Amino acid sequence: MLKSALAAVATALLVLVGISSVQAQTSPNSKKTVVKKTVIKKNVVHRRPAAAPKRATQASLDRREKLVKKVAVVHGKRRVVYQRVAAMPTVPVVPPVMTAGDMAGLNLTQDPLALRSNVALVIDQASSQVLFEKNSSVALPIASVTKLMTSLVVVEARQNMEEILTVSDDDVDRQKHSSSRLRVGAQLSRDDMLHIALMSSENRAASALGRNYPGGLPAFVAAMNAKARSLGMMDTHYVDSTGLSSNNVASARDLAKLVVAAYNYPIIRQYSTDAKYMVEPSGHALQYASSNRLVASKDWDIGLQKTGYINEAGHCLVMLTKIEGRSVVMVFLDSKGKLSHVGDAARMRKWLSEQGPQNLTRVNLRARADEG
């Protein structure tokens, strides 16, 4: 038993010696080293595995993907996860469309009313006195204002207005790819075709009117140009009955003459100023509305009007209206903005009502003198 007790004491002494040696290693000189080794070891264990998947994930991303950070709860614990999602596509920047007027530099012309239209002309219907003008002698694309000459040729040809015309594949717009509510094979009277062509600028109706002229569309276009010359419209040229071609051109001065001539026909006055009209092509009812919102306004007294738009022409408007009891012809061409031509008409009417054209004429004369 004495030997066993001595062995136990010896073992205890050895343990105490070991503890002392460990404590000796935690002296101030060595403690820093031990702690430093522990930190390095922790960095290796915890940081490297976390960083490696992140780098791998980022490397796998392409331009169409991105990482989205989210917090998820897994087994009752919050964890941060990264989810790959498709990035939003980049929308290309489309440059503004240059109209023919812009390319001619007409957008650099200033005017006292700050109109949005590159071309403007206002004349007194009775006396033909020019009340306002801006680039009025420049020939530009006129878009669907063309249909005003189309209607004049149809009416003066004295064709049977009750004759049924059929929309054919030749009436489909393959130039501008414009839409139409008249399907190929739809049938309407010449009168109804004229009505919706003037009021709602229906392109297939205008095309069918020209195609069903004696001699076909070529003869109809020839008649349009002949009528223009007879009216003294020397800056005007037509190539179709719809205005979809940018080769249909005219100056504002020419269009004012066309408005005065077309106003002589009650059917053109009525059809161009109707706010709504219903047709039944092949038995199917279609409700059409005017392309000019001013005709439905009680604030305006409009006797004749026509609008037009294609990229090359901008927004166009011609009309005959009464301002303070005075009948005036307004022409606005190459206007920027969907309703800018309507806004220019309102701005012009307000000026004429409040100040009168004489003052504006003097302002224009001074501006031209300064330019000279």
Side-chain angles (χ1 to χ4, degrees):
M1 292 184 61
L2 181 59
K3 291 182 179 180
S4 300
L6 291 174
V9 172
T11 302
L13 289 173
L14 290 174
V15 170
L16 290 174
V17 172
I19 293 173
S20 299
S21 63
V22 172
Q23 290 176 345
Q25 293 179 12
T26 61
S27 62
N29 294 332
S30 62
K31 182 177 181 180
K32 183 176 181 181
T33 304
V34 172
V35 172
K36 185 176 181 181
K37 289 182 178 179
T38 303
V39 172
I40 293 175
K41 188 175 181 181
K42 286 183 177 181
N43 287 345
V44 172
V45 172
H46 295 284
R47 291 184 181 178
R48 286 184 179 176
K54 186 176 180 180
R55 287 196 298 269
T57 303
Q58 289 176 340
S60 66
L61 294 176
D62 58 31
R63 295 180 180 178
R64 294 167 294 178
E65 294 180 320
K66 64 178 181 179
L67 286 179
V68 176
K69 182 180 178 181
K70 293 185 177 182
V71 178
V73 179
V74 180
H75 301 300
K77 295 182 179 180
R78 291 164 57 90
R79 291 186 179 181
V80 177
V81 296
Y82 292 87
Q83 183 177 358
R84 290 149 55 105
V85 298
M88 292 297 292
T90 303
V91 179
V93 178
V94 180
V97 177
M98 294 286 287
T99 64
D102 289 339
M103 290 187 287
L106 302 185
N107 54 327
L108 301 178
T109 305
Q110 302 296 319
D111 68 82
L113 299 185
L115 300 176
R116 297 287 303 278
S117 303
N118 280 340
V119 172
L121 177 67
V122 181
I123 66 171
D124 183 282
Q125 181 193 12
S127 65
S128 298
Q129 176 190 2
V130 176
L131 307 179
F132 180 90
E133 61 177 334
K134 174 184 177 182
N135 299 322
S136 62
S137 61
V138 181
L140 293 176
I142 58 174
S144 287
V145 175
T146 297
K147 295 182 177 71
L148 196 56
M149 178 61 82
T150 298
S151 67
L152 190 58
V153 172
V154 169
V155 172
E156 291 188 345
R158 300 185 182 277
Q159 293 179 272
N160 181 8
M161 299 302 288
E162 300 304 319
E163 180 184 355
I164 300 300
L165 309 183
T166 302
V167 175
S168 75
D169 189 65
D170 293 333
D171 301 319
V172 177
D173 173 25
R174 292 182 173 83
Q175 183 174 7
K176 300 294 185 182
H177 304 286
S178 60
S179 61
S180 173
R181 301 175 67 189
L182 293 181
R183 299 179 179 179
V184 173
Q187 294 184 322
L188 284 175
S189 67
R190 178 176 280 104
D191 186 79
D192 281 346
M193 291 283 195
L194 178 64
H195 203 146
I196 59 178
L198 269 175
M199 184 194 76
S200 195
S201 211
E202 172 59 68
N203 287 316
R204 292 184 184 178
S207 176
L209 289 171
R211 190 171 46 78
N212 285 277
Y213 186 82
L217 185 59
F220 187 84
V221 172
M224 294 172 71
N225 287 309
K227 183 62 180 179
R229 288 192 296 273
S230 71
L231 293 175
M233 300 170 63
M234 299 307 175
D235 300 317
T236 299
H237 181 68
Y238 297 105
V239 298
D240 65 33
S241 59
T242 63
L244 289 168
S245 172
S246 60
N247 291 324
N248 288 341
V249 298
S251 65
R253 285 182 174 271
D254 282 0
L255 293 177
K257 296 174 183 178
L258 175 60
V259 170
V260 172
Y263 187 77
N264 291 324
Y265 293 93
I267 189 173
I268 298 179
R269 297 201 300 266
Q270 177 188 340
Y271 288 0
S272 69
T273 57
D274 277 345
K276 293 182 180 180
Y277 185 67
M278 182 175 289
V279 296
E280 296 184 3
S282 305
H284 301 286
L286 289 178
Q287 178 77 54
Y288 279 87
S290 174
S291 59
N292 184 355
R293 62 169 55 191
L294 295 181
V295 299
S297 174
K298 296 180 180 179
D299 296 332
W300 284 87
D301 183 3
I302 300 175
L304 180 146
Q305 68 81 34
K306 188 67 194 77
T307 62
Y309 173 79
I310 56 174
N311 287 335
E312 298 88 340
H315 291 274
C316 304
L317 170 64
V318 300
M319 64 180 181
L320 192 149
T321 184
K322 285 189 177 181
I323 300 177
E324 301 295 328
R326 184 183 198 178
S327 294
V328 297
V329 176
M330 291 185 174
V331 179
F332 300 100
L333 303 179
D334 195 5
S335 188
K336 307 304 184 296
K338 188 175 182 180
L339 297 176
S340 55
H341 53 314
V342 174
D344 282 352
R347 193 174 294 110
M348 183 65 68
R349 183 184 68 165
K350 180 180 179 181
W351 193 95
L352 292 174
S353 299
E354 294 178 352
Q355 299 188 34
Q358 293 79 12
N359 186 34
L360 183 59
T361 302
R362 288 197 296 271
V363 171
N364 278 341
L365 288 175
R366 286 199 302 270
R368 286 198 291 269
D370 293 340
E371 292 175 358

